[in-house]
Amino acid sequence: QRVEGREDQDEDEEEDSRLLRRVKSNKGEYARRQRSTKRRLRAIFFLTGFAFSIYMPFSVLFFQNSVGLSAGQIGFVASLQIVGGYAVGPAVSLLIDRFRIHQAVWMASLVLCIAPV
């Protein structure tokens, strides 16, 4: 019986060390995936900022010359766009997390950022 108990203990220790190695290897993979995700998000934010910085000056000229809005009206529309983004952003992010459509949203964001350019 004593030898049998020792064998069980050895098997448990072996399984524990195997699981520990697996957890350590998953930590490295998780860190790599997290760095990759951070890089993607930075690229998306950069492209978004770049696209809007190109789009906004020309939209002001368009609204002034073609639509006939005054400078105050254009400022009001721009402020509505900013406030609307802050108001809708959290709800949209909750829906994205709920339905797990991150990749589709990333692709749509990239297309929307590149379209004005």
Side-chain angles (χ1 to χ4, degrees), residues 50-62:
F50 183 72
F52 279 116
S53 68
I54 290 174
Y55 165 76
M56 287 309 280
F58 295 110
S59 68
V60 170
L61 292 173
F62 171 76

Side-chain angles (χ1 to χ4, degrees), residues 52-94:
F52 279 116
S53 68
I54 290 174
Y55 165 76
M56 287 309 280
F58 295 110
S59 68
V60 170
L61 292 173
F62 171 76
F63 284 129
Q64 239 177 1
N65 296 332
S66 297
V67 179
L69 296 177
S70 68
Q73 291 171 325
I74 295 170
F76 181 70
V77 169
S79 65
L80 283 179
Q81 182 181 11
I82 293 168
V83 171
Y86 284 126
V88 173
V92 169
S93 65
L94 286 174

